[in-house]
Amino acid sequence: QKHFLHSASEDLGCRRGEFSRKHYGSVELLISSDADGAIQRAGRFRVENGSSDEVNYTPGTWRRTDVHLENPEYHTRWFFKYFLGKVHQNYVGTDAEKNPFYLSVVLSDQNNQRVPQYRAILWRKTGSQKICLPYSPTKTLSVKSILSAMNLDRFEKAPREILNPDIQKDLLVLEEQEGSVNFKFGVLYAKDGQLTDDEMFSNETGSENFNKFLNLLGDTIILQGWAGYRGGLDTKNDTTGINSIYTVYQGHELMFHVSTMLPYSKDNKQQVERKRHIGNDIVTIVFQEGDDASPSFKPSMIRSHFTHIFALVRYNSQNDSYRLKIFSEESVPLFGPPLPSPPVFTDHQEFRDFLLCDHTMINELTKHLINGEKATLETPTFAQKRQRTLDMLIRSLYQDLIPDLHKNMLNRRSFSDVLPESPKSARKKEEARQAEFVRIGQALKLKTIVRGDAPTSLVTTGLCRKEPWESQSFYNSFPYEIVCSDSWGQSLLVATDTMGVMLLDDTQPLPVQVFDKTMVVKQMHVLEPQDLLIARADKGKDARIYVYRLSSLKRGLEERQLIRSKCDSRENKLEKTKGCHLYSINTHHGAELRIVAAIRNKLLLITRKPLRPDCLCAVTMVTGPPDSPVEEFQYIREICLCDPPVVMALVDGPTGENDNMICVAYKHQFDLINESTGEAYRLHHVDASRVNFVAAIDVYEDGEAGLLLCYNYICYYKKVCPFNGVTPMIQSNTSDFHFSWNQMPNSIVCAFPYILAFTTDSIEIRLVVNGNLVYTAVVPGLQLTASRLPCRTAYICSE
């Protein structure tokens, strides 16, 4: 069975009769005219006001579940999401009319359901065609059958496979011609009684209600230094204003050109600088003050040949509601969602849904505007321009490939299986080529993300099947307060405030007790590759660091159902750690595990080196290692600080000899401590009266170390390598950057390429490489309990 994806706007455009009236309210054509009644050149606009003449249409039956992005899969960047950075095949050929075409084929998972399927993209001058075809383990798929399914059977030159991995960059450029994955919308503020665009564009400030509406649309961001999608605004010299409104909606980045935030000129009555941005937006939101008795906005009031859709928003303070009316230029195909009848929203989150099209009111407005711009791109004016550009790019790329046809750099097996088996003699060479193919694709994908040109919903590098913020119920009714925890296999080891330490397993109906209530654990790490559990228990002078073998704990649970107590753990405590209030381990440890314990203003450096096989005596090999691994740890040195540290992180140097460092945070600063000499270097000073230190996270790129310094609302990236002998080179670097969280986090987890901030009621996800906002999840009563390092999956506890 063939599955073709096409635009719903094509169907809607053919059903303007009963369907339109029933589902899109009163649709009428409005001839644009000026205040004196003279016909303007602005064209004819379709008006959607949510009213309906249909008897069987019940007003108010609109539900927020009706709000969805039209054909989200069709508008998804397939090549970026499913092909780039993965093994796939690309072919080139010419059709019977001598027009070049390209075919890309990948065998992928169907909607993460572990059902393999083929995805194929056919690139032609008329646009791209996408198809999904079923996978059969007994019948391989050929290029000929795929092209036949796409109604391409006759060729002037049969297709050949392109082996050069750089073709991925060219195909990504072709895909970018399909339309924007990010959007810029105009927002125009109009006072009551204003009837001309000069009056509207001359408003220096908006009202309290307008500012409230802007807060509903998105976040206020500072333009200078902004690294995300900028929508044509200046992010270096403040020539387009100081601030703007920005949000992310279902993977699309949205920048709003707000009239009152763009530069105002007292000498220019037409406010050309403001019109330059808003007048060139396909969609503009007009927020008009006044009641229903006041003169209403009409498209003829705006002199723009480019704006095709106006969304008129009016606020009613008496019932705290918004009324919406949509004006669409006649050539724009019908798009959804239909306006409710009446088009009045008292639920502001649903209004955002309607505008942006998520599950909330502004989301409704956003969705409507996104759908509107997508529909506008199908009008003849935009479609013809896009086709001309695509045709030119395809022909130019084909001309570049012609020399390869004569150098045998294109695979001659044009109608072979899509995934042919390589001969044994050439298998290693083919595997090396595929590895290089994937490497170049992944680098290109990351570069696109950093540049801000990729939809943020598609930035996953494919390392994890599940996004790190997607929720999964682990245990529904845990009755105790969790102090800390860590994952152990598929289970969760949890330290509680009153009942000791328990093991939670979603296959077991009840928690399994591991330590009794005498062990009050405050901090823990489960290191499965090293068969080790590290825990800090008690507080004050009684605090200690304990070390256990996981295999010993597991054996005790399985064989004797042994519940250990503080008394049973006497042989497991590291004696010199008495009074420890904090410890940290190196997360990128190789042969050597390092622990730094903080005892007031003193740092104690401890290492554990695994025993070499030739050092194991015969008795040990027969009986196994002793239950306690304490003897394997050695104390290296003590380092004195000026104050007790609040946050610590270990940084691995490139050689590991004398260049390992410790990052500590105290007072108003982050310092780097040389592990070998104990010397301290100022890394970053915090200019704030009060400092809430959250975390210092070590990150590595191309063998060089960097740190994410997190405090208050700020996350600051600082590169700390390379090292100059034993002295770190700490200076301003072009790679240094910082960004601000929308809420002050309690905890932060790095799950590359994402960084997750946890507050008391939300998770905020951004890109590590530039701080761009990806997603915000609202979860009341939220507490981070653990984050697992191998796949960086965060476990959370919600009250």
Side-chain angles (χ1 to χ4, degrees):
Q1 183 181 2
K2 303 174 185 176
H3 301 279
F4 290 92
L5 300 174
H6 58 87
S7 173
S9 60
E10 298 172 9
D11 299 334
L12 295 174
C14 299
R15 294 180 277 177
R16 290 178 179 258
E18 180 179 346
F19 177 88
S20 299
R21 291 192 302 273
K22 181 175 180 179
H23 296 281
Y24 287 83
S26 176
V27 181
E28 57 189 90
L29 289 178
L30 176 68
I31 299 176
S32 298
S33 60
D34 60 20
D36 299 325
I39 301 297
Q40 296 289 304
R41 292 184 302 160
R44 290 159 30 115
F45 280 78
R46 190 171 61 245
V47 184
E48 299 175 40
N49 56 19
S51 62
S52 176
D53 299 327
E54 296 293 325
V55 177
N56 60 351
Y57 180 70
T58 305
T61 56
W62 176 89
R63 306 179 309 277
R64 70 175 184 172
T65 51
D66 297 329
V67 180
H68 61 283
L69 281 176
E70 291 180 353
N71 295 303
E73 181 68 0
Y74 175 80
H75 290 285
T76 291
R77 294 286 181 85
W78 266 32
F79 188 75
F80 184 94
K81 181 176 183 179
Y82 299 114
F83 293 72
L84 196 59
K86 300 176 183 177
V87 175
H88 66 277
Q89 286 71 45
N90 299 294
Y91 301 85
V92 61
T94 54
D95 60 21
E97 287 75 35
K98 300 184 178 181
N99 294 314
F101 66 85
Y102 300 91
L103 177 70
S104 299
V105 185
V106 68
L107 180 62
S108 64
D109 190 4
Q110 183 179 18
N111 299 326
N112 291 336
Q113 296 173 359
R114 299 186 180 181
V115 179
Q117 67 170 359
Y118 288 103
R119 294 181 189 269
I121 307 174
L122 179 61
W123 316 85
R124 308 180 75 177
K125 70 175 185 178
T126 53
S128 64
Q129 186 177 350
K130 301 170 184 175
I131 189 175
C132 295
L133 293 169
Y135 166 79
S136 172
T138 59
K139 183 179 179 181
T140 54
L141 197 62
S142 68
V143 176
K144 182 178 180 180
S145 61
I146 295 175
L147 292 173
S148 178
M150 292 174 153
N151 299 318
L152 182 59
D153 296 297
R154 300 173 59 220
F155 312 101
E156 197 263 340
K157 288 185 179 179
R160 295 182 180 182
E161 184 177 359
I162 306 170
L163 301 180
N164 190 340
D166 291 334
I167 189 64
Q168 297 173 94
K169 182 177 181 179
D170 298 308
L171 295 179
L172 187 61
V173 173
L174 293 185
E175 185 172 63
E176 288 171 352
Q177 309 309 311
E178 295 183 1
S180 178
V181 293
N182 301 322
F183 297 87
K184 52 187 180 72
F185 298 139
V187 182
L188 181 59
Y189 174 67
K191 294 180 181 179
D192 189 7
Q194 291 184 335
L195 301 177
T196 67
D197 55 358
D198 287 350
E199 292 176 324
M200 299 176 193
F201 280 103
S202 295
N203 292 320
E204 295 186 58
T205 59
S207 65
E208 183 179 343
N209 290 335
F210 179 62
N211 293 332
K212 180 180 177 182
F213 173 71
L214 293 180
N215 291 333
L216 195 58
L217 281 179
D219 302 316
T220 301
I221 57 102
I222 299 173
L223 285 174
Q224 191 171 78
W226 177 251
Y229 174 65
R230 60 189 184 93
L233 298 179
D234 180 12
T235 58
K236 294 182 179 180
N237 302 312
D238 292 336
T239 61
T240 57
I242 307 298
N243 304 98
S244 191
I245 301 296
Y246 166 90
T247 193
V248 175
Y249 184 82
Q250 291 195 1
H252 298 282
E253 291 186 77
L254 312 177
M255 182 66 79
F256 295 92
H257 295 157
V258 183
S259 61
T260 56
M261 291 183 171
L262 292 168
Y264 171 79
S265 173
K266 293 182 179 180
D267 300 326
N268 190 324
K269 293 183 179 180
Q270 294 187 352
Q271 302 301 326
V272 174
E273 182 62 25
R274 292 178 170 183
K275 290 181 180 179
R276 181 170 70 87
H277 290 283
I278 298 178
N280 285 311
D281 290 331
I282 294 175
V283 178
T284 294
I285 304 169
V286 180
F287 184 92
Q288 188 173 43
E289 301 280 12
D291 53 29
D292 293 339
S294 304
S296 182
F297 168 84
K298 292 182 180 180
S300 58
M301 297 175 182
I302 306 297
R303 288 168 288 182
S304 171
H305 298 286
F306 199 80
T307 304
H308 282 57
I309 296 172
F310 292 97
L312 177 62
V313 176
R314 277 191 159 176
Y315 176 72
N316 188 337
S317 58
Q318 294 182 351
N319 59 2
D320 192 25
S321 67
Y322 291 90
R323 177 178 285 272
L324 178 64
K325 182 185 288 188
I326 302 294
F327 299 91
S328 306
E329 205 274 336
E330 181 187 17
S331 63
V332 178
L334 289 176
F335 57 91
L339 290 182
S341 180
V344 176
F345 300 87
T346 54
D347 186 325
H348 295 182
Q349 198 53 34
E350 286 184 352
F351 180 48
R352 185 175 192 269
D353 266 358
F354 191 83
L355 282 178
L356 307 185
C357 235
D358 197 292
H359 294 292
T360 58
M361 162 189 131
I362 282 296
N363 280 355
E364 163 117 22
L365 174 57
T366 305
K367 174 179 190 282
H368 203 80
L369 300 187
I370 290 175
N371 288 340
E373 180 156 331
K374 288 179 178 179
T376 302
L377 293 175
E378 302 301 322
T379 61
T381 301
F382 289 95
Q384 290 170 9
K385 181 180 179 181
R386 187 169 66 249
Q387 282 191 17
R388 286 195 301 269
T389 304
L390 193 60
D391 185 23
M392 180 185 68
L393 289 172
I394 287 177
R395 291 185 182 278
S396 175
L397 178 56
Y398 183 72
Q399 290 296 321
D400 293 339
L401 285 171
I402 285 180
D404 292 340
L405 291 170
H406 306 291
K407 296 179 182 178
N408 294 323
M409 293 184 68
L410 300 182
N411 195 333
R412 292 183 177 275
R413 295 175 298 177
S414 59
F415 292 109
S416 63
D417 297 335
V418 169
L419 299 173
E421 281 291 328
S422 303
K424 289 185 178 180
S425 59
R427 191 163 296 171
K428 288 188 176 180
K429 184 177 180 181
E430 174 62 17
E431 288 176 353
R433 186 193 71 83
Q434 290 186 359
E436 178 68 3
F437 190 93
V438 170
R439 186 193 69 80
I440 289 178
Q442 289 181 342
L444 184 60
K445 192 170 200 174
L446 184 59
K447 183 178 180 180
T448 307
I449 295 167
V450 174
R451 197 171 63 234
D453 292 340
T456 49
S457 64
L458 307 181
V459 296
T460 173
T461 56
L463 299 176
C464 295
R465 187 174 298 274
K466 200 178 182 71
E467 302 289 14
W469 58 83
E470 291 184 40
S471 61
Q472 179 181 352
S473 178
F474 192 83
Y475 206 90
N476 290 324
S477 56
F478 191 67
Y480 310 107
E481 183 178 340
I482 298 176
V483 178
C484 63
S485 69
D486 203 355
S487 56
W488 184 2
Q490 298 302 312
S491 304
L492 196 64
L493 193 63
V494 174
T496 67
D497 59 336
T498 57
M499 290 300 293
V501 179
M502 300 179 179
L503 191 67
L504 305 184
D505 192 326
D506 54 5
T507 62
Q508 299 291 333
L510 296 173
V512 177
Q513 192 89 24
V514 181
F515 294 94
D516 66 14
K517 62 182 180 181
T518 61
M519 280 291 290
V520 185
V521 175
K522 302 292 186 180
Q523 191 179 356
M524 70 164 68
H525 284 89
V526 175
L527 304 177
E528 293 182 71
Q530 302 207 23
D531 189 30
L532 191 67
L533 167 66
I534 306 174
R536 175 172 61 86
D538 291 324
K539 62 181 180 178
K541 295 181 179 180
D542 295 327
R544 295 284 200 291
I545 292 180
Y546 295 81
V547 289
Y548 304 87
R549 295 194 198 281
L550 293 173
S551 54
S552 177
L553 294 176
K554 185 177 181 181
R555 188 168 58 251
L557 292 174
E558 291 176 347
E559 297 176 0
R560 295 167 290 169
Q561 289 296 312
L562 174 66
I563 302 175
R564 293 180 181 243
S565 65
K566 183 177 177 180
C567 183
D568 299 326
S569 302
R570 284 176 295 185
E571 295 182 354
N572 297 89
K573 60 185 176 182
L574 301 177
E575 290 297 337
K576 290 190 178 182
T577 60
K578 183 178 180 180
C580 172
H581 71 273
L582 182 68
Y583 79 85
S584 182
I585 66 172
N586 56 323
T587 57
H588 293 75
H589 49 79
E592 182 179 81
L593 168 68
R594 307 194 333 269
I595 305 175
V596 169
I599 307 171
R600 293 180 296 280
N601 64 335
K602 180 177 68 176
L603 297 183
L604 185 65
L605 180 61
I606 307 169
T607 63
R608 181 211 190 198
K609 292 185 178 180
L611 296 174
R612 299 199 312 270
D614 56 352
C615 295
L616 295 175
C617 63
V619 176
T620 301
M621 295 181 67
V622 173
T623 62
D627 281 349
S628 173
V630 165
E631 296 301 323
E632 299 168 16
F633 288 84
Q634 55 183 337
Y635 304 94
I636 305 301
R637 65 180 53 86
E638 291 183 358
I639 300 172
C640 290
L641 305 177
C642 58
D643 283 278
V646 180
V647 164
M648 294 194 303
L650 277 73
V651 182
D652 291 346
T655 68
E657 292 300 322
N658 292 311
D659 53 3
N660 291 328
M661 309 291 290
I662 308 169
C663 178
V664 294
Y666 43 57
K667 285 189 174 179
H668 287 71
Q669 66 201 55
F670 287 89
D671 284 356
L672 270 181
I673 311 297
N674 188 302
E675 283 188 6
S676 299
T677 65
E679 292 182 80
Y681 308 91
R682 180 67 51 82
L683 182 62
H684 180 67
H685 179 75
V686 180
D687 294 320
S689 58
R690 298 181 63 182
V691 185
N692 176 42
F693 291 110
V694 181
I697 302 172
D698 55 320
V699 291
Y700 296 83
E701 180 182 4
D702 297 331
E704 294 188 343
L707 281 163
L708 290 168
L709 309 178
C710 309
Y711 59 93
N712 296 354
Y713 289 88
I714 303 296
C715 187
Y716 193 101
Y717 174 78
K718 189 81 173 177
K719 183 171 284 190
V720 296
C721 283
F723 292 90
N724 181 14
V726 296
T727 304
M729 295 178 62
I730 305 172
Q731 57 188 10
S732 296
N733 193 296
T734 55
S735 61
D736 294 348
F737 69 93
H738 70 277
F739 60 87
S740 299
W741 302 101
N742 291 325
Q743 294 188 59
M744 186 180 295
N746 299 321
S747 308
I748 290 178
V749 170
C750 181
F752 191 85
Y754 309 106
I755 182 168
L756 291 73
F758 294 80
T759 72
T760 54
D761 58 6
S762 70
I763 310 174
E764 190 174 329
I765 301 98
R766 294 178 180 268
L767 290 177
V768 174
V769 291
N770 53 22
N772 285 4
L773 180 65
V774 174
Y775 186 75
T776 300
V778 178
V779 187
L782 182 68
Q783 179 192 350
L784 174 69
T785 60
S787 59
R788 186 175 184 176
L789 292 176
C791 64
R792 303 285 186 158
T793 301
Y795 291 82
I796 60 173
C797 173
S798 182
E799 296 175 355

